[in-house]
Amino acid sequence: MMLPVVGQAAEKLVVYTSQPNQDAQTTVDAFMAANPDIEVEWVRDGTTKLMAKLRAEIAAGDPRPDVLLIADTVTLEGMKQEGLLQAYKSPEAKAYEGALYDAEGYYYSTKLITTGIVYNTAAKAPSSWKDLSDASAKNQIVMPSPLYSGAALIHLSTLTENKDLGWDYYQALADNEARAQGGNGGVFKAVASGEKPYGVVVDFLAIRGKAKGSPVDFVFPKEGVTYVTEPVAIMKDAKNVDAAHKFVDFVLSDAGQKLVLDMGYIPARNDMALPEGFPARKDIKLMDFNPAIALEQAEANKKKFADIFGAE
């Protein structure tokens, strides 16, 4: 869906984004207010569909977007390796942990959407990923499938690369008859309804659900959390490079990150507060994650997962 921002602007900018419609409109409106000389046209869809559209445009020799603002760094790492992005060293990067952006400037994280454990408050509270592999949790766990969810595939890559968890942990979950299917929304509903006491889910679903009265709570496991970061990047063939630089700087700036906070997500910027219901930033441990490894092993990881869980 295309929603141009009408005006007599001197510059144009085309943004492809997987942000929810309301969030995307808020981002564009705020950027336009800060840069009234730039007219923004944006296209919104899920990352998979958006990338299919972009691939078709590239094949036709006419990629339209200047900027991408999509779900995960693995997708952008792939584009970087294909030579489809251009580097930009944003001055705002100094306010970010090095792990949250590409060292050469090809992409920058804009928020943190972590994955942890949601549990029904009628059940015993877990504290660790390993609690889900305990025999006492047999047939009581639901989680999104990495064959369906991009965040779940990143979760899989992160945990299997962890020396204390690895593939043995996923085998233990399978032995514990954990149910792995669909996406995060279904996981949350299963736990909130009491169908399953424990679930693996993205933070904001559980924390917002709790705030609305669902009988759930959310745990940031002691080993750390996995995460996706909705990164921003500039296309190599961008037609409006100056405007693209301004957009990247804006979403990484204090003002841009305030929007992330107001939307109820964890800002990626170090010096920002967290939304209501979240712990202090210092109490959230991010697990080590390498987008290049996740990209290289994605298909092998999906096959091994399907073998272990009997999924198709």
Side-chain angles (χ1 to χ4, degrees), residues 121-142:
T121 49
K124 180 182 177 183
S127 63
S128 162
W129 289 118
K130 289 185 177 180
D131 288 345
L132 300 186
S133 61
D134 189 85
S136 63
K138 188 162 188 174
N139 199 31
Q140 297 184 41
I141 305 151
V142 60

Side-chain angles (χ1 to χ4, degrees), residues 109-129:
S109 299
T110 66
K111 64 179 61 164
L112 295 174
I113 299 176
T114 72
T115 290
I117 303 171
V118 62
Y119 69 97
N120 192 288
T121 49
K124 180 182 177 183
S127 63
S128 162
W129 289 118

Side-chain angles (χ1 to χ4, degrees), residues 175-252:
D175 294 344
N176 235 7
E177 298 179 18
R179 186 176 79 200
Q181 63 187 50
N184 283 275
V187 168
F188 175 75
K189 289 177 183 176
V191 175
S193 69
E195 179 191 348
K196 297 283 186 182
Y198 303 107
V200 176
V201 79
V202 290
D203 54 26
F204 67 88
L205 281 180
I207 290 172
R208 292 176 189 176
K210 176 185 177 181
K212 292 178 181 176
S214 290
V216 300
D217 214 336
F218 185 76
V219 172
F220 292 83
K222 63 185 182 183
E223 301 99 333
V225 289
T226 66
Y227 57 96
V228 294
T229 65
E230 197 172 90
V232 64
I234 302 173
M235 293 290 293
K236 181 181 179 181
D237 295 326
K239 299 175 181 69
N240 305 288
V241 175
D242 182 62
H245 288 172
K246 291 176 181 176
F247 186 84
V248 170
D249 289 345
F250 176 77
V251 295
L252 299 180

Side-chain angles (χ1 to χ4, degrees), residues 65-125:
D66 300 300
V67 171
L68 302 177
L69 180 61
I70 58 176
D72 63 84
T73 53
V74 177
T75 300
L76 292 184
E77 176 64 27
M79 295 188 71
K80 170 193 169 182
Q81 292 184 17
E82 289 182 66
L84 297 174
L85 303 179
Q86 62 175 277
Y88 169 56
K89 294 292 187 76
S90 173
E92 299 290 343
K94 62 182 181 293
Y96 289 74
E97 293 286 346
L100 296 181
Y101 63 90
D102 177 70
E104 296 172 277
Y106 282 97
Y107 52 81
Y108 296 88
S109 299
T110 66
K111 64 179 61 164
L112 295 174
I113 299 176
T114 72
T115 290
I117 303 171
V118 62
Y119 69 97
N120 192 288
T121 49
K124 180 182 177 183

